[in-house]
C-alpha cells in the first residue's frame, strides 16, 4: 500500500532558483527509505514540504491517498512524526517529561493518561531515568532520543528523521540506528523516511533515493545503489565500509558477495592462506 | 559563564520548595509590603526590620538557601550603598533634626541621613534575600505557570496570556543554551584575535559587536527551527490544550499563607495604629528604654 506519494513536486525559496525540481516517488507502508544527498540537494526542504511546513509551487503530495492541502494539513500532521537535525532546537519543555508532554498537550490528551504515555515512551528510548532532567544536562544523543520519544508518543504512522544523527557523536549515532531497528520491530507498519548524508546509516534502509541538485539522481535498493562505484563517484558520495571492503576483496579475487555483515566476511576470510 | 549564581533554583526538597508557587508569590508580595511600611518613630521601624531579618534568616535556613550565594550577590551592591550614602548625607533635607557635624550656618550633616540611607539599604537587602528565597526554591517553569494563573482574568480583555506564558517559558528554557553559545562565540572570536578584556572603550565596543551579531543570527535561526518543531508537533496557540503540570494547594500552603497573612496583618495593624491613633515607640513599651532623641 502506498503511504506517501509525491507527484511532480517543485519548490523554490527564491523565484527561478528551484530547490526541488519535478520530484516524484512512492513510499510503501512499513518501509524504511533513506533520502541521501549533499547539502543544498533539497532533501531537507523535501521533509518540510511533506509535513506542510512549506507549500509546494507545483505538484502534489498524497499521504494515505489524501491530498495535502491547507484543509487537510492538520489531519495529515497527526500521522507524521518529525525529528529535526539540531537536538537543542526541538527541545521545547523544561525537562524530559515536559518535552514529551508538549505534543500530548497539543493533542488534548487527559492529564491522568499523559503520565502513563510519557513513562512508556521514555522507557522505549531508554530515557526513563532522566525524566526530570533539564536539556542542559543531557548529551546530544539523549536529547535526540527524547525527540524521538516525543514523536512516537503521538502514535504516528510515519516518522521522518531530518538528519537526526548528523550532529551526534558516533555513540549517539549508533544508538539512534539501533532505535530505528527496534521501532520497526515494535510496529512493522511504521513507515520511516530518513533524510541523511551518512551512507552507513542509509545502507541499513530498504530503499534509497539519492537527491542531487533538486532532482532524484538514483533510486533503488542499497546494494544496487552502493555497488556502482562510478555512480557514487559522480554524485560525490562515499561507499559504505562493508561495500567498499567487498569490492576491494573482489578485485583481489576473493568473492564475498553472499556475506551480509562483517562477521560473515570474517568467516570466509579466516580459512584462507 | 557559570557566574550567574544569584537566585538559581536549587533542586532540594524542603518545606518551601513544596509550597505552591502561586502562594509563594502572594506571600512574597505581602512580606514586601510589610517591609516597606515606615513608622513615625525610627527605633520602631528599625526594631521591626530586625524582626524581619531574623524571620528571613529562619526562612533561609528552612529553605536551605546558600548564604554564600546571598553574600556574593550583595557584594556587588557596594557601589549602590556608597551612592545612596553620599546622596543622603550631602543633600540637605529640611525635615532632618539631629545635627552630626555643622560646617556653617547653612550647611550641616545630620544623623537622620545616616539612618535614612541605612534603612533603605536594609530594606533592599531584605527584598533581595526574599526574592532569592523565592527563585532558589521554585523552578522557573513553575513561576511561569504561577504568573499565567495570576494573569488568567486578563483573558477576558483578550490579553494573550497563554502566548506570553509560553514565550516566557521558552525564553527560560533557552537561557543555558544561549549562554553556551555565547561562550562558544567568545572563544571563536578570541581565537581570531578579538580581545574582550583590553583596549579602549571604542575597541571593546567593537569586540562586543563581534559577539552580539553572531549570537543574534543564531538565536533567530534557532527560533525558526523551534517554531517548525512546535508546529510539527501540532502546536496551535489558539486551540485548547491540556496540561501536564498541575499546581496543587496542600496543607503546607495553608500554613505558609497563614504565616504570611499573620505577619502582614500584624504589621498593618501597628501601621494604622501608628498613623491614626498615636505614635508607637516599641522600645519604650517593651524594654522601657527611651532611645528617641
Amino acid at each position: 500500500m502506498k503511504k506517501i506519494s509525491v507527484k511532480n513536486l517543485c519548490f523554490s525559496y527564491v523565484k527561478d532558483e528551484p530547490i526541488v525540481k519535478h520530484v516524484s516517488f512512492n513510499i510503501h507502508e512499513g518501509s524504511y527509505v533513506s533520502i541521501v544527498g549533499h547539502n543544498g540537494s533539497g532533501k531537507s526542504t523535501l521533509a518540510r514540504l511533506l509535513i506542510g511546513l512549506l507549500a509546494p509551487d507545483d505538484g502534489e503530495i498524497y499521504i494515505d491517498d489524501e491530498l495535502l492541502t491547507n484543509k487537510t494539513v492538520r489531519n495529515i500532521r497527526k500521522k507524521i512524526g518529525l525529528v529535526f537535525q539540531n537536538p537543542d532546537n526541538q527541545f521545547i519543555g523544561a525537562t524530559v517529561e515536559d518535552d514529551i508532554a508538549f505534543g500530548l498537550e497539543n493533542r488534548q490528551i487527559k492529564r491522568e493518561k499523559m503520565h502513563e504515555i510519557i513513562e512508556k515512551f521514555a522507557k522505549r528510548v531508554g530515557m526513563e531515568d532522566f525524566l526530570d532532567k533539564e536539556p542542559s544536562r543531557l548529551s546530544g544523543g539523549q536529547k535526540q532520543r527524547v525527540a524521538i520519544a516525543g514523536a512516537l508518543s503521538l502514535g504516528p504512522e510515519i516518522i521522518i528523521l531530518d538528519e537526526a544523527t548528523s550532529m551526534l557523536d558516533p555513540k549517539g549515532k549508533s544508538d539512534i540506528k539501533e532505535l530505528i531497528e527496534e521501532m520497526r520491530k515494535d510496529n512493522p507498519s511504521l513507515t520511516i523516511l530518513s533524510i541523511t548524508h551518512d551512507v552507513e546509516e542509509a545502507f541499513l534502509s530498504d530503499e534509497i533515493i539519492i537527491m542531487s541538485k533538486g532532482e532524484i539522481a538514483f533510486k533503488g535498493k542499497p546494494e544496487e545503489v552502493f555497488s556502482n562505484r562510478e555512480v557514487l563517484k559522480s554524485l560525490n558520495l562515499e561507499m559504505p565500509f562493508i561495500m567498499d571492503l567487498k569490492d576491494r576483496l573482489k578485485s583481489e579475487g576473493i568473492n564475498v558477495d553472499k556475506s551480509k555483515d562483517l562477521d560473515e566476511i570474517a568467516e570466509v576470510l579466516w580459512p584462507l592462506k | 559563564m557559570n557566574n550567574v549564581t544569584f537566585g538559581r533554583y536549587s533542586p532540594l526538597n524542603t518545606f518551601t520548595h513544596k509550597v505552591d508557587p502561586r502562594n509563594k508569590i502572594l506571600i512574597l508580595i505581602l512580606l514586601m509590603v510589610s517591609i516597606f511600611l515606615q513608622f513615625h518613630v525610627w527605633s520602631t521601624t528599625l526594631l521591626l526590620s530586625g524582626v524581619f531579618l531574623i524571620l528571613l534568616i529562619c526562612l533561609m535556613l528552612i529553605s536551605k538557601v546558600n548564604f554564600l550565594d546571598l553574600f556574593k550577590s550583595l557584594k556587588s551592591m557596594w557601589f549602590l550603598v556608597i551612592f545612596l550614602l553620599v546622596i543622603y548625607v550631602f543633600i540637605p533635607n529640611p525635615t532632618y533634626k539631629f545635627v552630626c557635624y555643622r560646617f556653617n550656618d547653612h550647611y550641616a550633616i545630620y544623623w537622620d541621613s545616616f539612618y535614612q540611607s541605612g534603612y533603605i539599604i536594609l530594606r533592599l537587602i531584605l527584598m533581595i534575600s526574599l526574592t532569592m528565597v523565592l527563585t532558589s526554591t521554585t523552578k522557573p517553569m513553575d513561576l511561569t505557570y504561577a504568573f499565567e494563573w495570576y494573569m488568567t482574568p486578563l483573558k477576558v480583555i483578550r490579553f494573550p496570556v497563554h502566548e506570553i506564558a509560553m514565550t516566557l517559558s521558552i525564553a527560560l528554557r533557552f537561557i543555558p543554551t544561549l549562554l553556551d553559545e555565547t561562550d562558544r562565540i567568545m572563544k571563536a572570536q578570541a581565537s581570531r584575535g578579538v580581545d574582550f578584556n583590553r583596549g579602549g572603550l571604542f575597541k571593546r565596543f567593537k569586540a562586543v559587536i563581534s559577539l552580539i551579531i553572531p549570537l543574534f543570527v543564531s538565536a533567530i535561526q534557532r527560533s525558526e527551527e523551534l517554531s517548525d518543531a512546535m508546529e510539527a508537533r501540532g502546536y496551535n496557540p489558539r486551540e485548547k490544550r491540556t496540561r501536564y503540570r498541575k499546581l496543587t494547594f496542600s496543607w503546607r500552603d495553608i500554613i505558609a499563607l497563614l504565616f504570611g497573612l499573620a505577619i502582614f496583618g500584624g504589621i498593618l495593624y501597628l501601621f494604622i495604629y501608628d498613623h491614626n491613633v498615636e505614635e508607637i515607640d516599641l522600645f519604650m513599651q517593651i524594654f522601657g528604654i527611651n532611645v528617641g532623641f
Side-chain angles (χ1 to χ4, degrees), chain A residues 53-78:
Chain A
L53 289 171
L54 296 171
D57 297 341
D58 195 20
E60 287 136 21
I61 296 165
Y62 294 92
I63 310 283
D64 278 336
D65 292 327
E66 195 181 357
L67 180 66
L68 182 74
T69 61
N70 263 339
K71 276 180 197 148
T72 56
V73 67
R74 309 225 60 200
N75 194 28
I76 281 173
R77 264 186 207 158
K78 285 187 184 166

PDB file of all heavy atoms in Angstrom, chain A residues 53-78:
ATOM      1  N   LEU A  53       4.997  22.263   6.229  1.00  0.00           N
ATOM      2  CA  LEU A  53       5.579  23.489   6.793  1.00  0.00           C
ATOM      3  C   LEU A  53       5.901  24.468   5.673  1.00  0.00           C
ATOM      4  O   LEU A  53       5.992  25.662   5.878  1.00  0.00           O
ATOM      5  CB  LEU A  53       6.848  23.168   7.587  1.00  0.00           C
ATOM      6  CG  LEU A  53       6.655  22.429   8.909  1.00  0.00           C
ATOM      7  CD1 LEU A  53       7.981  21.981   9.486  1.00  0.00           C
ATOM      8  CD2 LEU A  53       5.931  23.302   9.919  1.00  0.00           C
ATOM      9  N   LEU A  54       6.091  23.921   4.468  1.00  0.00           N
ATOM     10  CA  LEU A  54       6.266  24.742   3.276  1.00  0.00           C
ATOM     11  C   LEU A  54       5.202  24.301   2.277  1.00  0.00           C
ATOM     12  O   LEU A  54       4.802  23.146   2.267  1.00  0.00           O
ATOM     13  CB  LEU A  54       7.657  24.522   2.671  1.00  0.00           C
ATOM     14  CG  LEU A  54       8.877  24.930   3.495  1.00  0.00           C
ATOM     15  CD1 LEU A  54      10.139  24.432   2.825  1.00  0.00           C
ATOM     16  CD2 LEU A  54       8.924  26.429   3.664  1.00  0.00           C
ATOM     17  N   ALA A  55       4.773  25.233   1.441  1.00  0.00           N
ATOM     18  CA  ALA A  55       3.779  24.871   0.432  1.00  0.00           C
ATOM     19  C   ALA A  55       4.477  24.725  -0.925  1.00  0.00           C
ATOM     20  O   ALA A  55       5.267  25.593  -1.298  1.00  0.00           O
ATOM     21  CB  ALA A  55       2.708  25.941   0.360  1.00  0.00           C
ATOM     22  N   PRO A  56       4.232  23.637  -1.649  1.00  0.00           N
ATOM     23  CA  PRO A  56       4.914  23.441  -2.939  1.00  0.00           C
ATOM     24  C   PRO A  56       4.452  24.456  -3.985  1.00  0.00           C
ATOM     25  O   PRO A  56       3.319  24.940  -3.937  1.00  0.00           O
ATOM     26  CB  PRO A  56       4.525  22.023  -3.341  1.00  0.00           C
ATOM     27  CG  PRO A  56       3.286  21.728  -2.582  1.00  0.00           C
ATOM     28  CD  PRO A  56       3.339  22.531  -1.329  1.00  0.00           C
ATOM     29  N   ASP A  57       5.353  24.770  -4.951  1.00  0.00           N
ATOM     30  CA  ASP A  57       4.980  25.648  -6.053  1.00  0.00           C
ATOM     31  C   ASP A  57       4.115  24.888  -7.044  1.00  0.00           C
ATOM     32  O   ASP A  57       3.210  25.441  -7.654  1.00  0.00           O
ATOM     33  CB  ASP A  57       6.238  26.147  -6.794  1.00  0.00           C
ATOM     34  CG  ASP A  57       7.106  26.992  -5.880  1.00  0.00           C
ATOM     35  OD1 ASP A  57       6.573  27.475  -4.860  1.00  0.00           O
ATOM     36  OD2 ASP A  57       8.295  27.162  -6.178  1.00  0.00           O
ATOM     37  N   ASP A  58       4.458  23.623  -7.181  1.00  0.00           N
ATOM     38  CA  ASP A  58       3.729  22.800  -8.143  1.00  0.00           C
ATOM     39  C   ASP A  58       3.823  21.344  -7.690  1.00  0.00           C
ATOM     40  O   ASP A  58       4.737  20.965  -6.969  1.00  0.00           O
ATOM     41  CB  ASP A  58       4.354  22.983  -9.542  1.00  0.00           C
ATOM     42  CG  ASP A  58       3.419  22.450 -10.614  1.00  0.00           C
ATOM     43  OD1 ASP A  58       2.213  22.318 -10.329  1.00  0.00           O
ATOM     44  OD2 ASP A  58       3.899  22.162 -11.721  1.00  0.00           O
ATOM     45  N   GLY A  59       2.883  20.534  -8.135  1.00  0.00           N
ATOM     46  CA  GLY A  59       2.927  19.117  -7.810  1.00  0.00           C
ATOM     47  C   GLY A  59       2.056  18.778  -6.615  1.00  0.00           C
ATOM     48  O   GLY A  59       1.506  19.662  -5.954  1.00  0.00           O
ATOM     49  N   GLU A  60       1.921  17.471  -6.352  1.00  0.00           N
ATOM     50  CA  GLU A  60       1.022  17.015  -5.300  1.00  0.00           C
ATOM     51  C   GLU A  60       1.711  16.049  -4.348  1.00  0.00           C
ATOM     52  O   GLU A  60       2.604  15.321  -4.735  1.00  0.00           O
ATOM     53  CB  GLU A  60      -0.184  16.306  -5.930  1.00  0.00           C
ATOM     54  CG  GLU A  60      -1.144  17.255  -6.595  1.00  0.00           C
ATOM     55  CD  GLU A  60      -1.603  16.746  -7.958  1.00  0.00           C
ATOM     56  OE1 GLU A  60      -1.496  15.538  -8.205  1.00  0.00           O
ATOM     57  OE2 GLU A  60      -2.042  17.571  -8.765  1.00  0.00           O
ATOM     58  N   ILE A  61       1.259  16.116  -3.103  1.00  0.00           N
ATOM     59  CA  ILE A  61       1.723  15.159  -2.096  1.00  0.00           C
ATOM     60  C   ILE A  61       0.488  14.446  -1.558  1.00  0.00           C
ATOM     61  O   ILE A  61      -0.479  15.095  -1.154  1.00  0.00           O
ATOM     62  CB  ILE A  61       2.445  15.881  -0.951  1.00  0.00           C
ATOM     63  CG1 ILE A  61       3.710  16.577  -1.465  1.00  0.00           C
ATOM     64  CG2 ILE A  61       2.805  14.897   0.161  1.00  0.00           C
ATOM     65  CD1 ILE A  61       4.269  17.597  -0.502  1.00  0.00           C
ATOM     66  N   TYR A  62       0.524  13.113  -1.598  1.00  0.00           N
ATOM     67  CA  TYR A  62      -0.572  12.347  -1.038  1.00  0.00           C
ATOM     68  C   TYR A  62      -0.061  11.535   0.145  1.00  0.00           C
ATOM     69  O   TYR A  62       0.970  10.874   0.047  1.00  0.00           O
ATOM     70  CB  TYR A  62      -1.145  11.374  -2.070  1.00  0.00           C
ATOM     71  CG  TYR A  62      -1.818  12.054  -3.233  1.00  0.00           C
ATOM     72  CD1 TYR A  62      -1.112  12.357  -4.386  1.00  0.00           C
ATOM     73  CD2 TYR A  62      -3.172  12.372  -3.165  1.00  0.00           C
ATOM     74  CE1 TYR A  62      -1.715  12.980  -5.455  1.00  0.00           C
ATOM     75  CE2 TYR A  62      -3.794  13.002  -4.232  1.00  0.00           C
ATOM     76  CZ  TYR A  62      -3.064  13.306  -5.382  1.00  0.00           C
ATOM     77  OH  TYR A  62      -3.678  13.930  -6.429  1.00  0.00           O
ATOM     78  N   ILE A  63      -0.750  11.632   1.263  1.00  0.00           N
ATOM     79  CA  ILE A  63      -0.445  10.776   2.399  1.00  0.00           C
ATOM     80  C   ILE A  63      -1.680   9.909   2.588  1.00  0.00           C
ATOM     81  O   ILE A  63      -2.776  10.443   2.797  1.00  0.00           O
ATOM     82  CB  ILE A  63      -0.181  11.587   3.686  1.00  0.00           C
ATOM     83  CG1 ILE A  63       0.839  12.712   3.464  1.00  0.00           C
ATOM     84  CG2 ILE A  63       0.212  10.676   4.843  1.00  0.00           C
ATOM     85  CD1 ILE A  63       2.278  12.337   3.383  1.00  0.00           C
ATOM     86  N   ASP A  64      -1.520   8.585   2.513  1.00  0.00           N
ATOM     87  CA  ASP A  64      -2.667   7.675   2.563  1.00  0.00           C
ATOM     88  C   ASP A  64      -3.728   8.077   1.534  1.00  0.00           C
ATOM     89  O   ASP A  64      -4.924   8.117   1.843  1.00  0.00           O
ATOM     90  CB  ASP A  64      -3.319   7.684   3.960  1.00  0.00           C
ATOM     91  CG  ASP A  64      -2.573   6.790   4.913  1.00  0.00           C
ATOM     92  OD1 ASP A  64      -1.890   5.866   4.442  1.00  0.00           O
ATOM     93  OD2 ASP A  64      -2.671   7.031   6.125  1.00  0.00           O
ATOM     94  N   ASP A  65      -3.291   8.395   0.343  1.00  0.00           N
ATOM     95  CA  ASP A  65      -4.185   8.797  -0.752  1.00  0.00           C
ATOM     96  C   ASP A  65      -4.965  10.083  -0.476  1.00  0.00           C
ATOM     97  O   ASP A  65      -5.929  10.385  -1.167  1.00  0.00           O
ATOM     98  CB  ASP A  65      -5.168   7.664  -1.109  1.00  0.00           C
ATOM     99  CG  ASP A  65      -4.426   6.502  -1.740  1.00  0.00           C
ATOM    100  OD1 ASP A  65      -3.423   6.765  -2.442  1.00  0.00           O
ATOM    101  OD2 ASP A  65      -4.825   5.352  -1.510  1.00  0.00           O
ATOM    102  N   GLU A  66      -4.552  10.827   0.560  1.00  0.00           N
ATOM    103  CA  GLU A  66      -5.218  12.092   0.853  1.00  0.00           C
ATOM    104  C   GLU A  66      -4.297  13.232   0.401  1.00  0.00           C
ATOM    105  O   GLU A  66      -3.134  13.293   0.816  1.00  0.00           O
ATOM    106  CB  GLU A  66      -5.490  12.185   2.356  1.00  0.00           C
ATOM    107  CG  GLU A  66      -6.475  13.270   2.724  1.00  0.00           C
ATOM    108  CD  GLU A  66      -6.689  13.351   4.233  1.00  0.00           C
ATOM    109  OE1 GLU A  66      -6.118  12.529   4.979  1.00  0.00           O
ATOM    110  OE2 GLU A  66      -7.419  14.263   4.645  1.00  0.00           O
ATOM    111  N   LEU A  67      -4.819  14.095  -0.448  1.00  0.00           N
ATOM    112  CA  LEU A  67      -4.006  15.194  -0.964  1.00  0.00           C
ATOM    113  C   LEU A  67      -3.712  16.205   0.152  1.00  0.00           C
ATOM    114  O   LEU A  67      -4.590  16.581   0.911  1.00  0.00           O
ATOM    115  CB  LEU A  67      -4.754  15.895  -2.112  1.00  0.00           C
ATOM    116  CG  LEU A  67      -4.041  17.085  -2.764  1.00  0.00           C
ATOM    117  CD1 LEU A  67      -2.783  16.643  -3.487  1.00  0.00           C
ATOM    118  CD2 LEU A  67      -4.986  17.797  -3.724  1.00  0.00           C
ATOM    119  N   LEU A  68      -2.436  16.609   0.237  1.00  0.00           N
ATOM    120  CA  LEU A  68      -2.041  17.600   1.244  1.00  0.00           C
ATOM    121  C   LEU A  68      -2.443  19.001   0.790  1.00  0.00           C
ATOM    122  O   LEU A  68      -1.946  19.514  -0.203  1.00  0.00           O
ATOM    123  CB  LEU A  68      -0.524  17.537   1.469  1.00  0.00           C
ATOM    124  CG  LEU A  68       0.074  18.468   2.513  1.00  0.00           C
ATOM    125  CD1 LEU A  68      -0.236  17.991   3.910  1.00  0.00           C
ATOM    126  CD2 LEU A  68       1.568  18.582   2.333  1.00  0.00           C
ATOM    127  N   THR A  69      -3.391  19.581   1.505  1.00  0.00           N
ATOM    128  CA  THR A  69      -3.811  20.958   1.209  1.00  0.00           C
ATOM    129  C   THR A  69      -3.918  21.720   2.528  1.00  0.00           C
ATOM    130  O   THR A  69      -3.715  21.142   3.603  1.00  0.00           O
ATOM    131  CB  THR A  69      -5.200  20.994   0.543  1.00  0.00           C
ATOM    132  OG1 THR A  69      -6.128  20.425   1.478  1.00  0.00           O
ATOM    133  CG2 THR A  69      -5.239  20.240  -0.758  1.00  0.00           C
ATOM    134  N   ASN A  70      -4.276  22.979   2.444  1.00  0.00           N
ATOM    135  CA  ASN A  70      -4.457  23.779   3.648  1.00  0.00           C
ATOM    136  C   ASN A  70      -5.475  23.172   4.601  1.00  0.00           C
ATOM    137  O   ASN A  70      -5.348  23.287   5.815  1.00  0.00           O
ATOM    138  CB  ASN A  70      -4.942  25.180   3.254  1.00  0.00           C
ATOM    139  CG  ASN A  70      -3.785  26.147   3.184  1.00  0.00           C
ATOM    140  OD1 ASN A  70      -2.741  25.885   3.782  1.00  0.00           O
ATOM    141  ND2 ASN A  70      -3.955  27.223   2.449  1.00  0.00           N
ATOM    142  N   LYS A  71      -6.488  22.522   3.998  1.00  0.00           N
ATOM    143  CA  LYS A  71      -7.556  21.972   4.825  1.00  0.00           C
ATOM    144  C   LYS A  71      -7.157  20.664   5.485  1.00  0.00           C
ATOM    145  O   LYS A  71      -7.571  20.378   6.607  1.00  0.00           O
ATOM    146  CB  LYS A  71      -8.806  21.750   3.966  1.00  0.00           C
ATOM    147  CG  LYS A  71      -9.634  23.012   3.834  1.00  0.00           C
ATOM    148  CD  LYS A  71     -10.850  22.754   2.973  1.00  0.00           C
ATOM    149  CE  LYS A  71     -11.431  24.075   2.509  1.00  0.00           C
ATOM    150  NZ  LYS A  71     -12.040  23.963   1.185  1.00  0.00           N
ATOM    151  N   THR A  72      -6.361  19.861   4.763  1.00  0.00           N
ATOM    152  CA  THR A  72      -6.052  18.528   5.288  1.00  0.00           C
ATOM    153  C   THR A  72      -4.757  18.505   6.105  1.00  0.00           C
ATOM    154  O   THR A  72      -4.450  17.509   6.741  1.00  0.00           O
ATOM    155  CB  THR A  72      -5.936  17.514   4.143  1.00  0.00           C
ATOM    156  OG1 THR A  72      -4.951  17.995   3.215  1.00  0.00           O
ATOM    157  CG2 THR A  72      -7.246  17.314   3.425  1.00  0.00           C
ATOM    158  N   VAL A  73      -4.024  19.618   6.089  1.00  0.00           N
ATOM    159  CA  VAL A  73      -2.693  19.592   6.686  1.00  0.00           C
ATOM    160  C   VAL A  73      -2.690  19.214   8.171  1.00  0.00           C
ATOM    161  O   VAL A  73      -1.847  18.449   8.629  1.00  0.00           O
ATOM    162  CB  VAL A  73      -1.941  20.927   6.438  1.00  0.00           C
ATOM    163  CG1 VAL A  73      -2.573  22.079   7.165  1.00  0.00           C
ATOM    164  CG2 VAL A  73      -0.484  20.812   6.821  1.00  0.00           C
ATOM    165  N   ARG A  74      -3.690  19.673   8.911  1.00  0.00           N
ATOM    166  CA  ARG A  74      -3.720  19.398  10.344  1.00  0.00           C
ATOM    167  C   ARG A  74      -3.956  17.913  10.602  1.00  0.00           C
ATOM    168  O   ARG A  74      -3.352  17.316  11.476  1.00  0.00           O
ATOM    169  CB  ARG A  74      -4.827  20.204  11.015  1.00  0.00           C
ATOM    170  CG  ARG A  74      -4.762  21.668  10.652  1.00  0.00           C
ATOM    171  CD  ARG A  74      -4.926  22.535  11.834  1.00  0.00           C
ATOM    172  NE  ARG A  74      -3.885  22.277  12.785  1.00  0.00           N
ATOM    173  CZ  ARG A  74      -3.964  22.602  14.055  1.00  0.00           C
ATOM    174  NH1 ARG A  74      -5.043  23.174  14.515  1.00  0.00           N
ATOM    175  NH2 ARG A  74      -2.978  22.350  14.882  1.00  0.00           N
ATOM    176  N   ASN A  75      -4.835  17.370   9.794  1.00  0.00           N
ATOM    177  CA  ASN A  75      -5.129  15.952   9.935  1.00  0.00           C
ATOM    178  C   ASN A  75      -3.927  15.098   9.538  1.00  0.00           C
ATOM    179  O   ASN A  75      -3.602  14.104  10.192  1.00  0.00           O
ATOM    180  CB  ASN A  75      -6.358  15.630   9.067  1.00  0.00           C
ATOM    181  CG  ASN A  75      -6.934  14.297   9.412  1.00  0.00           C
ATOM    182  OD1 ASN A  75      -6.804  13.857  10.549  1.00  0.00           O
ATOM    183  ND2 ASN A  75      -7.548  13.651   8.436  1.00  0.00           N
ATOM    184  N   ILE A  76      -3.271  15.522   8.463  1.00  0.00           N
ATOM    185  CA  ILE A  76      -2.132  14.755   7.964  1.00  0.00           C
ATOM    186  C   ILE A  76      -0.957  14.832   8.933  1.00  0.00           C
ATOM    187  O   ILE A  76      -0.263  13.848   9.169  1.00  0.00           O
ATOM    188  CB  ILE A  76      -1.753  15.243   6.543  1.00  0.00           C
ATOM    189  CG1 ILE A  76      -2.734  14.623   5.538  1.00  0.00           C
ATOM    190  CG2 ILE A  76      -0.307  14.891   6.192  1.00  0.00           C
ATOM    191  CD1 ILE A  76      -2.601  15.120   4.133  1.00  0.00           C
ATOM    192  N   ARG A  77      -0.781  15.995   9.564  1.00  0.00           N
ATOM    193  CA  ARG A  77       0.323  16.127  10.523  1.00  0.00           C
ATOM    194  C   ARG A  77       0.194  15.160  11.683  1.00  0.00           C
ATOM    195  O   ARG A  77       1.184  14.764  12.279  1.00  0.00           O
ATOM    196  CB  ARG A  77       0.353  17.553  11.065  1.00  0.00           C
ATOM    197  CG  ARG A  77       1.330  18.383  10.290  1.00  0.00           C
ATOM    198  CD  ARG A  77       1.487  19.726  10.881  1.00  0.00           C
ATOM    199  NE  ARG A  77       1.870  20.657   9.852  1.00  0.00           N
ATOM    200  CZ  ARG A  77       1.690  21.963   9.926  1.00  0.00           C
ATOM    201  NH1 ARG A  77       1.114  22.473  10.972  1.00  0.00           N
ATOM    202  NH2 ARG A  77       2.074  22.732   8.952  1.00  0.00           N
ATOM    203  N   LYS A  78      -1.035  14.807  12.000  1.00  0.00           N
ATOM    204  CA  LYS A  78      -1.236  13.868  13.102  1.00  0.00           C
ATOM    205  C   LYS A  78      -0.653  12.505  12.788  1.00  0.00           C
ATOM    206  O   LYS A  78      -0.384  11.720  13.682  1.00  0.00           O
ATOM    207  CB  LYS A  78      -2.736  13.723  13.392  1.00  0.00           C
ATOM    208  CG  LYS A  78      -3.273  14.910  14.117  1.00  0.00           C
ATOM    209  CD  LYS A  78      -4.696  14.715  14.544  1.00  0.00           C
ATOM    210  CE  LYS A  78      -5.211  15.999  15.191  1.00  0.00           C
ATOM    211  NZ  LYS A  78      -6.645  16.002  15.341  1.00  0.00           N
TER     212      LYS A  78
END
